[in-house]
Coordinates of all heavy atoms in Angstrom, one line a residue:
M1 N 220.4 88.1 188.5 CA 220.4 87.3 189.8 C 219.4 88.0 190.7 O 219.3 89.1 190.8 CB 221.8 87.4 190.5 CG 221.8 86.7 191.9 SD 223.3 86.9 192.7 CE 224.2 85.5 192.1
N2 N 218.5 87.2 191.3 CA 217.4 87.6 192.3 C 218.0 87.8 193.6 O 218.4 86.8 194.3 CB 216.3 86.7 192.2 CG 215.2 87.2 193.1 OD1 215.2 88.3 193.7 ND2 214.2 86.4 193.2
L3 N 218.2 89.2 194.2 CA 218.7 89.3 195.4 C 217.7 89.8 196.5 O 218.0 90.2 197.5 CB 219.9 90.4 195.4 CG 221.0 89.9 194.5 CD1 222.0 91.1 194.4 CD2 221.7 88.8 195.0
S4 N 216.5 89.5 196.2 CA 215.5 89.9 197.1 C 215.4 88.9 198.3 O 215.7 87.8 198.2 CB 214.0 90.0 196.4 OG 213.7 88.7 195.9
A5 N 215.0 89.5 199.4 CA 214.9 88.7 200.6 C 213.5 88.5 201.0 O 212.6 89.4 200.8 CB 215.6 89.3 201.8
R6 N 213.2 87.4 201.6 CA 211.7 87.1 202.1 C 211.9 86.4 203.4 O 212.7 85.6 203.7 CB 211.1 86.2 201.1 CG 209.6 85.8 201.5 CD 209.1 85.0 200.4 NE 208.6 83.8 201.0 CZ 208.0 82.8 200.3 NH1 208.2 82.8 198.9 NH2 207.5 81.8 201.0
V7 N 211.0 86.9 204.4 CA 211.0 86.3 205.7 C 209.6 85.6 206.0 O 208.5 86.4 205.8 CB 211.2 87.3 206.8 CG1 211.2 86.8 208.2 CG2 212.6 88.0 206.6
D8 N 209.6 84.3 206.3 CA 208.3 83.7 206.6 C 208.3 83.5 208.1 O 209.3 82.9 208.7 CB 208.2 82.4 205.8 CG 208.1 82.6 204.4 OD1 207.2 83.3 203.9 OD2 208.8 82.0 203.5
R9 N 207.1 83.6 208.7 CA 206.9 83.4 210.1 C 206.3 82.1 210.3 O 205.2 81.8 209.6 CB 206.1 84.5 210.7 CG 206.8 85.8 210.8 CD 206.0 86.8 211.5 NE 205.6 86.5 212.8 CZ 204.4 86.8 213.3 NH1 203.4 87.4 212.7 NH2 204.1 86.4 214.5
E10 N 206.7 81.4 211.3 CA 206.1 80.0 211.7 C 205.9 79.2 210.4 O 204.8 78.7 210.0 CB 204.8 80.1 212.4 CG 205.1 80.9 213.8 CD 203.8 80.9 214.7 OE1 202.7 80.3 214.2 OE2 204.0 81.4 215.6
F11 N 207.1 79.0 209.7 CA 207.1 78.4 208.4 C 206.7 76.8 208.7 O 207.6 76.1 209.3 CB 208.4 78.6 207.8 CG 208.5 78.0 206.4 CD1 207.9 78.7 205.3 CD2 209.3 77.0 206.0 CE1 208.0 78.1 204.0 CE2 209.3 76.4 204.7 CZ 208.7 77.1 203.8
R12 N 205.8 76.3 208.1 CA 205.4 74.9 208.3 C 206.4 73.9 207.4 O 206.4 74.1 206.2 CB 203.9 74.6 208.0 CG 203.5 73.2 208.3 CD 202.0 73.2 207.9 NE 201.1 74.1 208.8 CZ 200.6 73.8 210.0 NH1 200.9 72.6 210.5 NH2 199.9 74.7 210.6
V13 N 206.9 73.0 208.1 CA 207.8 72.0 207.5 C 207.3 70.6 208.2 O 206.7 70.6 209.3 CB 209.3 72.1 207.7 CG1 209.7 73.5 207.0 CG2 209.7 72.2 209.2
P14 N 207.7 69.5 207.6 CA 207.2 68.2 208.3 C 207.7 68.0 209.6 O 207.0 67.4 210.5 CB 207.8 67.1 207.4 CG 208.0 67.8 206.0 CD 208.3 69.3 206.3
E15 N 208.8 68.6 210.1 CA 209.3 68.5 211.3 C 208.9 69.5 212.3 O 209.3 69.6 213.5 CB 210.8 68.6 211.3 CG 211.4 67.3 210.6 CD 211.5 67.5 209.0 OE1 210.9 68.5 208.5 OE2 211.9 66.5 208.4
G16 N 207.9 70.4 212.0 CA 207.4 71.4 213.0 C 207.3 72.8 212.2 O 207.0 72.8 211.0
R17 N 207.4 73.9 213.0 CA 207.3 75.2 212.4 C 208.5 76.1 212.9 O 208.3 76.7 214.1 CB 206.0 75.8 212.8 CG 204.8 75.2 212.1 CD 203.6 75.9 212.2 NE 203.2 76.0 213.6 CZ 201.9 76.2 214.1 NH1 201.1 76.5 213.2 NH2 201.8 76.2 215.3
P18 N 209.6 76.2 212.3 CA 210.5 77.2 212.8 C 210.0 78.6 212.7 O 209.1 79.0 211.9 CB 211.6 77.1 211.7 CG 211.5 75.8 211.0 CD 210.0 75.5 211.1
D19 N 210.4 79.4 213.8 CA 209.8 80.7 213.9 C 209.9 81.6 212.8 O 209.1 82.3 212.4 CB 210.2 81.3 215.2 CG 209.6 80.7 216.4 OD1 208.5 80.4 216.5 OD2 210.6 80.4 217.3
L20 N 211.2 81.6 212.3 CA 211.5 82.5 211.1 C 212.3 81.6 210.0 O 213.1 80.8 210.4 CB 212.4 83.7 211.5 CG 211.7 84.7 212.4 CD1 212.7 85.7 212.9 CD2 210.5 85.3 211.8
V21 N 212.0 81.8 208.8 CA 212.8 81.3 207.6 C 213.1 82.4 206.8 O 212.1 83.1 206.3 CB 212.2 80.1 206.9 CG1 212.8 79.7 205.8 CG2 211.9 78.9 207.9
V22 N 214.3 82.8 206.6 CA 214.8 83.9 205.8 C 215.4 83.4 204.5 O 216.3 82.5 204.6 CB 215.8 84.6 206.7 CG1 216.3 86.0 205.7 CG2 215.4 85.1 208.0
R23 N 214.9 83.8 203.5 CA 215.4 83.3 202.1 C 215.9 84.6 201.4 O 215.3 85.5 201.4 CB 214.2 82.8 201.3 CG 213.7 81.5 201.9 CD 212.5 81.0 201.1 NE 211.8 79.9 201.8 CZ 212.2 78.6 201.7 NH1 213.1 78.3 201.1 NH2 211.3 77.7 202.4
C24 N 217.1 84.5 200.8 CA 217.7 85.5 200.1 C 217.7 85.0 198.6 O 218.6 84.3 198.2 CB 219.1 85.7 200.5 SG 219.2 86.3 202.2
G25 N 216.7 85.6 197.9 CA 216.6 85.2 196.5 C 216.6 83.7 196.4 O 216.0 82.9 197.2
G26 N 217.3 83.2 195.4 CA 217.4 81.8 195.2 C 218.8 81.2 195.6 O 219.2 80.2 195.2
T27 N 219.4 82.0 196.5 CA 220.8 81.7 196.8 C 221.1 81.2 198.3 O 222.1 80.5 198.5 CB 221.8 82.9 196.7 OG1 221.3 83.9 197.6 CG2 221.6 83.4 195.2
A28 N 220.2 81.5 199.3 CA 220.5 81.0 200.6 C 219.2 81.0 201.4 O 218.3 81.8 201.1 CB 221.6 81.9 201.2
M29 N 219.2 80.2 202.5 CA 218.1 80.1 203.4 C 218.6 79.9 204.8 O 219.6 79.2 205.0 CB 217.2 79.0 203.0 CG 216.0 78.8 203.9 SD 215.0 77.4 203.5 CE 216.1 76.1 203.8
L30 N 218.0 80.7 205.8 CA 218.4 80.5 207.2 C 217.1 80.3 208.0 O 216.2 81.1 207.8 CB 219.1 81.8 207.6 CG 219.7 81.8 209.0 CD1 220.9 80.9 209.3 CD2 220.0 83.3 209.4
A31 N 217.2 79.4 208.9 CA 216.1 79.2 209.9 C 216.5 79.8 211.3 O 217.6 79.6 211.7 CB 215.7 77.7 210.0
V32 N 215.5 80.4 212.0 CA 215.7 81.1 213.3 C 214.6 80.5 214.2 O 213.4 80.6 213.9 CB 215.7 82.6 213.2 CG1 216.0 83.1 214.5 CG2 216.7 83.1 212.2
E33 N 215.1 80.0 215.3 CA 214.1 79.6 216.4 C 214.2 80.6 217.4 O 215.3 80.9 218.0 CB 214.4 78.2 216.9 CG 213.4 77.7 217.9 CD 212.0 77.6 217.5 OE1 211.6 77.6 216.3 OE2 211.0 77.6 218.4
V34 N 213.1 81.2 217.9 CA 213.0 82.3 218.8 C 212.4 81.8 220.1 O 211.5 81.2 220.0 CB 212.3 83.4 218.2 CG1 212.1 84.7 219.3 CG2 212.8 84.0 216.9
K35 N 213.2 82.1 221.2 CA 212.7 81.8 222.5 C 212.7 83.0 223.3 O 213.9 83.6 223.5 CB 213.5 80.7 223.2 CG 213.4 79.4 222.5 CD 212.1 78.8 222.5 CE 212.0 77.4 221.8 NZ 210.7 76.8 221.6
T36 N 211.7 83.5 223.9 CA 211.7 84.7 224.9 C 211.5 84.3 226.3 O 212.2 84.8 227.1 CB 210.7 85.6 224.4 OG1 209.4 85.0 224.3 CG2 210.9 86.2 223.0
T37 N 210.6 83.4 226.6 CA 210.3 83.0 227.9 C 210.5 81.4 228.1 O 210.9 81.1 229.2 CB 209.0 83.4 228.4 OG1 208.0 82.9 227.5 CG2 208.8 85.0 228.4
S38 N 210.3 80.7 227.1 CA 210.4 79.3 227.3 C 211.8 78.8 227.1 O 212.6 79.5 226.4 CB 209.4 78.5 226.4 OG 209.8 78.8 225.0
E39 N 212.1 77.6 227.5 CA 213.5 77.1 227.4 C 213.5 76.4 226.0 O 212.6 75.9 225.6 CB 213.8 76.1 228.4 CG 213.8 76.6 229.8 CD 215.1 77.6 229.9 OE1 216.2 77.1 229.4 OE2 215.0 78.7 230.4
P40 N 214.7 76.4 225.4 CA 214.9 75.8 224.1 C 214.7 74.2 224.3 O 215.1 73.7 225.3 CB 216.3 76.2 223.7 CG 216.7 77.3 224.5 CD 215.9 77.2 225.7
D41 N 214.2 73.5 223.3 CA 214.0 72.1 223.4 C 215.1 71.4 222.3 O 215.0 71.8 221.1 CB 212.7 71.8 222.9 CG 212.3 70.4 222.8 OD1 213.2 69.4 223.1 OD2 211.2 69.9 222.6
E42 N 216.0 70.7 222.9 CA 217.0 70.2 222.0 C 216.5 69.2 220.9 O 216.9 69.3 219.7 CB 218.0 69.3 222.9 CG 219.2 68.9 222.1 CD 220.2 68.1 222.9 OE1 219.9 67.8 224.0 OE2 221.4 68.0 222.4
E43 N 215.5 68.5 221.1 CA 214.7 67.6 220.2 C 214.1 68.4 219.0 O 214.2 68.1 217.9 CB 213.7 66.7 220.8 CG 214.4 65.6 221.7 CD 213.2 64.8 222.2 OE1 212.0 64.7 221.7 OE2 213.5 64.1 223.3
Q44 N 213.7 69.6 219.4 CA 213.1 70.5 218.4 C 214.1 71.1 217.5 O 214.0 71.0 216.3 CB 212.3 71.7 219.1 CG 211.7 72.7 218.2 CD 211.2 74.0 219.0 OE1 211.7 74.3 220.0 NE2 210.0 74.4 218.5
L45 N 215.2 71.5 217.9 CA 216.3 72.0 217.2 C 216.9 70.9 216.3 O 217.2 71.1 215.1 CB 217.4 72.6 218.1 CG 217.0 73.8 219.0 CD1 218.2 74.1 219.9 CD2 216.6 74.9 218.2
E46 N 216.8 69.7 216.9 CA 217.5 68.6 216.0 C 216.5 68.2 214.8 O 216.9 68.0 213.8 CB 217.6 67.3 216.9 CG 218.8 67.4 217.8 CD 220.1 67.4 217.0 OE1 220.3 66.8 215.9 OE2 221.0 68.2 217.5
R47 N 215.2 68.3 215.1 CA 214.2 68.1 213.9 C 214.4 69.2 212.8 O 214.4 68.9 211.7 CB 212.8 68.2 214.5 CG 212.4 67.0 215.4 CD 211.0 66.9 215.6 NE 210.3 68.1 216.0 CZ 210.1 68.6 217.3 NH1 210.5 67.8 218.2 NH2 209.5 69.7 217.6
Y48 N 214.6 70.5 213.2 CA 214.8 71.6 212.3 C 216.1 71.3 211.5 O 216.2 71.5 210.3 CB 214.7 72.8 213.0 CG 213.4 73.2 213.5 CD1 213.3 74.2 214.5 CD2 212.2 72.5 213.2 CE1 212.1 74.5 215.0 CE2 211.1 72.9 213.8 CZ 211.0 73.9 214.7 OH 209.8 74.2 215.2
L49 N 217.1 70.8 212.2 CA 218.3 70.6 211.5 C 218.2 69.4 210.5 O 218.8 69.4 209.4 CB 219.4 70.2 212.5 CG 219.9 71.3 213.3 CD1 220.7 70.8 214.5 CD2 220.8 72.2 212.4
Q50 N 217.4 68.4 210.8 CA 217.2 67.3 209.9 C 216.5 67.9 208.6 O 216.8 67.5 207.4 CB 216.2 66.2 210.5 CG 216.8 65.4 211.5 CD 215.9 64.5 212.3 OE1 214.7 64.3 211.8 NE2 216.3 63.9 213.3
W51 N 215.4 68.7 208.8 CA 214.8 69.4 207.6 C 215.8 70.2 206.8 O 215.9 70.1 205.6 CB 213.7 70.3 208.1 CG 213.2 71.3 207.0 CD1 212.5 71.0 206.0 CD2 213.4 72.6 207.1 NE1 212.3 72.0 205.2 CE2 212.7 73.2 205.9 CE3 213.9 73.6 208.0 CZ2 212.6 74.5 205.6 CZ3 213.8 75.0 207.7 CH2 213.2 75.4 206.6
L52 N 216.6 71.0 207.6 CA 217.6 71.8 206.8 C 218.6 71.1 206.1 O 219.1 71.5 205.0 CB 218.3 72.8 207.8 CG 217.4 74.0 208.4 CD1 218.0 74.7 209.5 CD2 217.2 74.9 207.1
S53 N 219.0 69.9 206.5 CA 220.0 69.0 205.8 C 219.5 68.6 204.6 O 220.2 68.3 203.6 CB 220.3 67.8 206.7 OG 219.3 67.0 206.8
R54 N 218.2 68.6 204.2 CA 217.7 68.2 202.9 C 217.4 69.4 202.0 O 217.2 69.2 200.9 CB 216.3 67.5 203.2 CG 216.5 66.3 203.9 CD 215.1 65.4 203.9 NE 213.9 66.2 204.4 CZ 213.6 66.2 205.7 NH1 214.2 65.7 206.5 NH2 212.6 67.0 206.0
E55 N 217.6 70.5 202.6 CA 217.4 71.9 201.8 C 218.9 72.2 201.1 O 219.9 72.3 201.8 CB 217.0 72.9 202.6 CG 215.6 72.8 203.2 CD 214.5 72.8 202.1 OE1 214.6 73.6 201.2 OE2 213.6 71.8 202.2
K56 N 218.8 72.4 199.8 CA 220.0 72.6 199.1 C 220.7 74.0 199.5 O 221.9 74.1 199.5 CB 219.7 72.6 197.6 CG 219.4 71.3 197.1 CD 219.0 71.4 195.6 CE 218.5 70.2 195.1 NZ 218.1 70.1 193.7
L57 N 219.9 75.0 199.8 CA 220.5 76.4 200.0 C 220.6 76.7 201.5 O 220.8 77.9 201.8 CB 219.5 77.4 199.3 CG 219.2 77.2 197.9 CD1 218.2 78.1 197.3 CD2 220.6 77.3 197.0
S58 N 220.6 75.8 202.3 CA 220.5 76.1 203.8 C 221.9 76.6 204.3 O 222.9 76.0 204.1 CB 220.2 74.8 204.6 OG 220.4 75.0 206.0
L59 N 221.9 77.7 205.0 CA 223.0 78.3 205.8 C 223.0 77.8 207.2 O 224.0 78.0 208.0 CB 222.9 79.9 205.8 CG 223.1 80.5 204.4 CD1 222.8 82.0 204.5 CD2 224.3 80.1 203.9
G60 N 221.8 77.2 207.7 CA 221.9 76.5 209.1 C 220.7 77.1 209.9 O 219.7 77.7 209.4
L61 N 220.8 76.8 211.2 CA 219.9 77.2 212.1 C 220.5 78.1 213.2 O 221.5 77.8 213.7 CB 219.4 75.9 212.8 CG 218.4 76.0 213.9 CD1 217.0 76.7 213.6 CD2 218.0 74.7 214.5
V62 N 219.7 79.1 213.6 CA 220.1 80.0 214.7 C 219.1 79.9 215.8 O 217.9 80.0 215.5 CB 220.2 81.6 214.2 CG1 220.5 82.4 215.4 CG2 221.3 81.5 213.1
L63 N 219.5 79.7 217.0 CA 218.7 79.9 218.1 C 218.9 81.2 218.7 O 220.0 81.6 219.2 CB 219.1 78.7 219.2 CG 218.4 79.0 220.5 CD1 216.9 78.7 220.4 CD2 219.0 77.8 221.5
L64 N 217.8 82.0 218.9 CA 217.7 83.3 219.4 C 217.1 83.2 220.8 O 215.9 82.9 220.7 CB 217.0 84.3 218.5 CG 216.9 85.7 219.0 CD1 218.3 86.3 219.4 CD2 216.1 86.5 218.0
A65 N 217.8 83.3 221.9 CA 217.2 83.0 223.2 C 217.8 84.0 224.2 O 218.8 84.7 223.9 CB 217.4 81.6 223.6
V66 N 217.3 83.9 225.4 CA 217.9 84.8 226.5 C 219.3 84.3 226.9 O 220.1 85.1 227.1 CB 216.9 84.8 227.8 CG1 217.5 85.6 228.9 CG2 215.6 85.4 227.3
S67 N 219.3 83.1 227.1 CA 220.6 82.5 227.4 C 221.0 81.2 226.7 O 220.0 80.5 226.2 CB 220.8 82.2 228.9 OG 219.8 81.3 229.3
K68 N 222.2 80.7 226.5 CA 222.6 79.6 225.7 C 222.3 78.5 226.5 O 222.7 78.2 227.7 CB 224.1 79.6 225.5 CG 224.5 78.7 224.4 CD 226.0 78.9 224.0 CE 226.4 77.9 223.0 NZ 227.7 78.0 222.6
P69 N 221.6 77.4 226.0 CA 221.4 76.2 226.7 C 222.5 75.4 226.8 O 223.5 75.4 226.1 CB 220.2 75.5 225.9 CG 220.5 76.0 224.5 CD 221.0 77.4 224.6
E70 N 222.5 74.5 227.9 CA 223.7 73.6 228.2 C 223.5 72.3 227.7 O 223.4 71.3 228.6 CB 224.0 73.7 229.6 CG 224.5 75.0 230.1 CD 225.7 75.5 229.4 OE1 226.7 74.7 229.2 OE2 225.8 76.8 229.2
F71 N 223.1 72.0 226.5 CA 222.9 70.7 225.9 C 224.2 70.0 225.8 O 225.1 70.6 225.5 CB 222.2 70.8 224.5 CG 220.9 71.5 224.5 CD1 220.4 72.1 223.5 CD2 219.9 71.3 225.6 CE1 219.3 72.9 223.3 CE2 218.7 71.9 225.6 CZ 218.4 72.6 224.4
P72 N 224.2 68.7 226.1 CA 225.5 67.9 225.9 C 225.9 67.7 224.5 O 225.0 67.7 223.6 CB 225.2 66.5 226.6 CG 223.7 66.4 226.5 CD 223.2 67.9 226.6
G73 N 227.1 67.4 224.2 CA 227.5 67.1 222.8 C 227.7 68.4 221.9 O 227.5 69.4 222.3
P74 N 228.3 68.1 220.8 CA 228.5 69.3 219.8 C 227.2 69.8 219.3 O 226.1 69.2 219.3 CB 229.2 68.5 218.7 CG 228.8 67.2 218.7 CD 228.6 66.9 220.3
K75 N 227.3 71.1 219.0 CA 226.1 71.9 218.5 C 226.3 72.1 216.9 O 227.3 72.5 216.6 CB 226.0 73.2 219.2 CG 226.2 73.2 220.7 CD 225.0 72.5 221.3 CE 225.2 72.3 222.8 NZ 225.9 71.3 223.3
K76 N 225.2 71.8 216.2 CA 225.2 72.0 214.8 C 224.4 73.3 214.5 O 224.1 73.6 213.3 CB 224.6 70.7 214.1 CG 225.4 69.5 214.3 CD 224.7 68.3 213.8 CE 225.4 67.1 214.0 NZ 224.8 65.9 213.7
W77 N 224.1 74.0 215.5 CA 223.3 75.4 215.3 C 224.1 76.4 216.0 O 224.9 76.2 216.7 CB 221.9 75.2 215.8 CG 221.8 74.5 217.3 CD1 221.7 73.2 217.5 CD2 222.1 75.2 218.5 NE1 221.7 72.9 218.7 CE2 221.9 74.1 219.4 CE3 222.3 76.4 218.9 CZ2 222.0 74.3 220.8 CZ3 222.4 76.6 220.2 CH2 222.3 75.6 221.2
S78 N 223.8 77.6 215.6 CA 224.4 78.9 216.1 C 223.5 79.4 217.2 O 222.3 79.3 217.1 CB 224.6 79.9 215.0 OG 225.5 79.4 214.0
F79 N 224.1 80.1 218.1 CA 223.3 80.8 219.1 C 223.6 82.3 219.1 O 224.7 82.7 218.9 CB 223.8 80.2 220.5 CG 223.2 81.1 221.7 CD1 221.9 80.9 222.0 CD2 224.0 82.1 222.3 CE1 221.4 81.7 223.0 CE2 223.4 82.8 223.3 CZ 222.1 82.5 223.8
R80 N 222.5 83.1 219.3 CA 222.6 84.5 219.5 C 221.6 84.8 220.6 O 220.6 84.4 220.8 CB 222.2 85.2 218.3 CG 223.1 85.2 217.2 CD 224.5 86.0 217.6 NE 225.4 85.7 216.6 CZ 226.5 84.9 216.6 NH1 226.5 84.1 217.7 NH2 227.3 84.8 215.7
A81 N 222.1 85.7 221.5 CA 221.3 86.1 222.7 C 220.5 87.4 222.3 O 220.9 88.3 221.4 CB 222.2 86.5 223.8
W82 N 219.4 87.6 223.0 CA 218.6 88.8 222.8 C 219.4 90.0 223.2 O 219.2 91.1 222.6 CB 217.3 88.7 223.6 CG 216.3 87.9 223.0 CD1 215.9 86.7 223.4 CD2 215.6 88.3 221.9 NE1 214.9 86.2 222.5 CE2 214.6 87.2 221.6 CE3 215.5 89.5 221.0 CZ2 213.7 87.2 220.6 CZ3 214.7 89.4 220.0 CH2 213.8 88.3 219.7
S83 N 220.4 89.9 224.1 CA 221.2 91.1 224.4 C 222.0 91.5 223.2 O 222.4 92.6 222.9 CB 222.2 90.8 225.6 OG 223.0 89.6 225.3
D84 N 222.4 90.5 222.3 CA 223.1 90.9 221.1 C 222.2 91.7 220.2 O 222.7 92.6 219.6 CB 223.6 89.5 220.4 CG 224.6 88.8 221.0 OD1 225.3 89.3 222.0 OD2 224.7 87.5 220.8
V85 N 221.0 91.2 220.1 CA 220.1 92.0 219.2 C 219.9 93.4 219.8 O 219.9 94.4 218.9 CB 218.7 91.3 219.2 CG1 217.6 92.1 218.5 CG2 218.8 89.9 218.6
A86 N 219.8 93.5 221.1 CA 219.5 94.9 221.7 C 220.8 95.7 221.4 O 220.7 96.9 221.0 CB 219.3 94.8 223.1
S87 N 222.0 95.3 221.6 CA 223.2 96.0 221.3 C 223.3 96.4 219.8 O 223.6 97.5 219.5 CB 224.3 95.1 221.6 OG 224.6 94.9 222.9
G88 N 222.9 95.5 218.9 CA 222.9 95.8 217.5 C 221.9 96.9 217.1 O 222.2 97.7 216.3
L89 N 220.7 96.9 217.8 CA 219.8 98.1 217.6 C 220.2 99.3 218.0 O 219.8 100.3 217.5 CB 218.4 97.6 218.2 CG 217.7 96.4 217.4 CD1 216.5 95.9 218.3 CD2 217.3 96.7 216.0
R90 N 221.0 99.4 219.0 CA 221.5 100.6 219.6 C 222.5 101.3 218.8 O 222.7 102.6 219.0 CB 222.1 100.4 221.1 CG 220.9 100.3 222.1 CD 221.4 100.3 223.5 NE 221.0 99.1 224.2 CZ 221.6 98.1 224.6 NH1 222.8 98.0 224.6 NH2 221.0 97.1 225.2
T91 N 223.2 100.6 217.9 CA 224.3 101.2 217.2 C 223.8 101.6 215.9 O 222.8 101.4 215.4 CB 225.5 100.1 217.1 OG1 224.9 99.0 216.2 CG2 226.0 99.8 218.3

């Protein structure tokens, strides 16, 4: 079994370019959209979710941003704050 991991930056897909795509061998894939100063765009996240729905090994989409956006309706993506990353790096 191939357990190597690979991270691609600004991975080009028909729906745009997710900031990070993490692949774990041939077993799983996770997309991450990173926002540091700009606000997340709900349409952009929806486009990436459409792409991921066609991928067999997708674990989903994570939005990494300063604060969680208040988009209406259910969310099909996960949110992580930069403060979570900073806490994790301190431990």
Side-chain angles (χ1 to χ4, degrees):
M1 176 186 269
N2 181 4
L3 297 178
S4 63
R6 181 175 129 189
V7 179
D8 293 308
R9 292 181 54 218
E10 296 187 4
F11 188 75
R12 188 177 299 268
V13 299
E15 290 79 1
R17 288 190 299 197
D19 291 314
L20 300 171
V21 174
V22 182
R23 297 176 190 273
C24 297
T27 61
M29 179 181 67
L30 179 71
V32 181
E33 182 59 21
V34 177
K35 298 295 183 189
T36 54
T37 57
S38 63
E39 291 294 317
D41 178 358
E42 187 174 19
E43 289 180 21
Q44 178 186 35
L45 298 177
E46 287 298 324
R47 288 193 314 268
Y48 295 162
L49 286 168
Q50 289 173 9
W51 165 66
L52 287 167
S53 71
R54 296 189 305 271
E55 296 293 316
K56 295 178 185 175
L57 305 174
S58 173
L59 294 176
L61 174 64
V62 175
L63 171 63
L64 176 58
V66 174
S67 60
K68 188 173 185 177
E70 296 298 323
F71 299 143
K75 311 298 178 271
K76 297 177 184 173
W77 42 267
S78 299
F79 171 77
R80 287 295 171 258
W82 279 107
S83 59
D84 297 335
V85 173
S87 293
L89 291 173
R90 279 188 230 119
T91 57

